[in-house]
Amino acid sequence: METLQLLSSNRSFGGWHRRYQHESEATGSTMTFAVYMPPQANDNNRVPVLYWLSGLTCTDENFMQKAGAQRMAVELGIAIVAPDTSPRGEQVANDEGYDLGQGAGFYVNATQAPWDRHYCMYDYVTSELPALIEANFPVNSRRSISGHSMGGHGALVCALRNPERYLSVSAFSPISQPSQVPWGQKAFTAYLGDHQASWKEYDAAHLLANVTNDSSMIPALVSQGLADEFLQEQLQPEALQDAAKATGYPLTLERHEGYDHSYYFIASFIEQHMEFHSRVLCQS
């Protein structure tokens, strides 16, 4: 624990929700993350982990405070890890818009100045953070990943590019093909430049359409609210569905009448998502 600074600690459903800071090599900045550890986790009973990636303007706190996932984490015996959505600090590049810069890392490794100095959230999420968690907490190496909106995009991309690292993936209201929508085009132009071939490396629909090996397919669940104000312009989940049909990928896309983009939607279906992940995470 020498590398971790404890920021806060809260008892919840018999387990502990704790927030930490550490100096990240991947982002070259101080990063914050939250961990919910169920009460059954100890050195003799290491539990699997669900990683949660949040959306634009969010931090590690949104999901932990609003989704109501802790009770199910205890019931299923799963730890939850929620990183921040970007590097932060006075030395970290930023933008006046809410959809670029701090709070909007898009889970890519930026290649363009000034963003390339700190914005390596893809490496942070897929490599550095899991290594840190597994070295310092009573968890095993069984991982799944989920997220919302920008974080749903991130979860899908991390899983599709690293199927050996994750046992399952799910997303709420993901930005399904960011290379084709305003949010993604703005972020990708800034972080990755104008060379659109590099954009495809972080486009879930493109990655899904190009899966050719059955061993690269892991169970995937996507939930989309039909009253979501961003559905048509920014999210476009049908692109995922079309790609999955073409490749035979085991994707379930559920559409829910009346639900919007908020955490009211996430809280309504988080139990289903956690049970979905537990079917592979908790296999003996």
Side-chain angles (χ1 to χ4, degrees):
M1 288 288 186
E2 291 82 5
T3 60
L4 302 180
Q5 177 188 355
L6 180 65
L7 300 178
S8 63
S9 181
N10 302 96
R11 192 78 162 164
S12 178
F13 292 96
W16 288 96
H17 167 265
R18 293 187 168 105
R19 300 182 70 226
Y20 295 90
Q21 279 186 346
H22 72 108
E23 297 305 313
S24 166
E25 292 185 8
T27 68
S29 67
T30 302
M31 291 297 297
T32 303
F33 65 88
V35 177
Y36 179 74
M37 200 62 59
Q40 56 266 57
N42 56 61
D43 287 338
N44 295 317
N45 183 41
R46 293 180 173 268
V47 298
V49 182
L50 176 64
Y51 288 85
W52 174 270
L53 306 184
S54 288
L56 289 167
T57 76
C58 292
T59 69
D60 62 284
E61 296 185 281
N62 296 73
F63 177 79
M64 291 299 201
Q65 293 182 1
K66 295 179 179 180
Q70 290 87 347
R71 183 184 64 79
M72 283 300 293
V74 174
E75 181 176 323
L76 299 170
I78 295 172
I80 302 172
V81 174
D84 201 352
T85 53
S86 77
R88 299 181 192 266
E90 292 183 2
Q91 82 283 8
V92 176
N94 202 8
D95 186 83
E96 293 181 356
Y98 74 95
D99 52 357
L100 185 66
Q102 296 186 33
F106 266 83
Y107 306 102
V108 304
N109 286 342
T111 59
Q112 305 298 302
W115 313 102
D116 56 342
R117 183 179 176 188
H118 297 291
Y119 284 76
C120 292
M121 288 299 294
Y122 173 79
D123 280 353
Y124 180 73
V125 167
T126 59
S127 298
E128 185 178 16
L129 183 59
L132 187 71
I133 296 298
E134 289 164 23
N136 288 284
F137 297 91
V139 302
N140 58 42
S141 60
R142 299 178 70 82
R143 315 178 196 102
S144 290
I145 191 165
S146 185
H148 171 233
S149 193
M150 178 187 74
H153 138 76
L156 289 167
V157 167
C158 289
L160 287 165
R161 290 181 59 172
N162 301 277
E164 76 285 354
R165 288 182 173 267
Y166 304 100
L167 296 176
S168 56
V169 59
S170 74
F172 290 85
S173 315
I175 306 172
S176 299
Q177 49 176 1
S179 65
Q180 304 299 315
V181 301
W183 275 341
Q185 290 169 346
K186 178 179 179 179
F188 285 3
T189 299
Y191 296 145
L192 304 173
D194 294 329
H195 188 52
Q196 295 195 13
S198 64
W199 296 13
K200 294 179 180 179
E201 297 178 10
Y202 299 100
D203 187 300
H206 173 79
L207 293 170
L208 192 58
N210 286 275
V211 174
T212 58
N213 191 334
D214 288 349
S215 64
S216 298
M217 298 183 180
I218 63 174
L221 171 64
V222 173
S223 295
Q224 176 63 60
L226 294 181
D228 192 317
E229 62 269 39
F230 304 113
L231 177 57
Q232 297 304 322
E233 183 180 20
Q234 304 282 12
L235 306 181
Q236 301 183 359
E238 63 276 2
L240 294 176
Q241 188 171 53
D242 291 345
K245 286 182 178 179
T247 60
Y249 199 94
L251 169 74
T252 299
L253 172 61
E254 296 187 347
R255 296 174 172 87
H256 298 279
E257 192 72 39
Y259 287 91
D260 58 19
H261 201 70
S262 72
Y263 265 83
Y264 293 108
F265 175 43
I266 296 170
S268 298
F269 295 97
I270 191 61
E271 291 188 8
Q272 177 198 10
H273 278 241
M274 294 192 68
E275 289 174 344
F276 165 78
H277 291 295
S278 75
R279 288 196 285 273
V280 290
L281 281 176
C282 300
Q283 289 180 354
S284 57

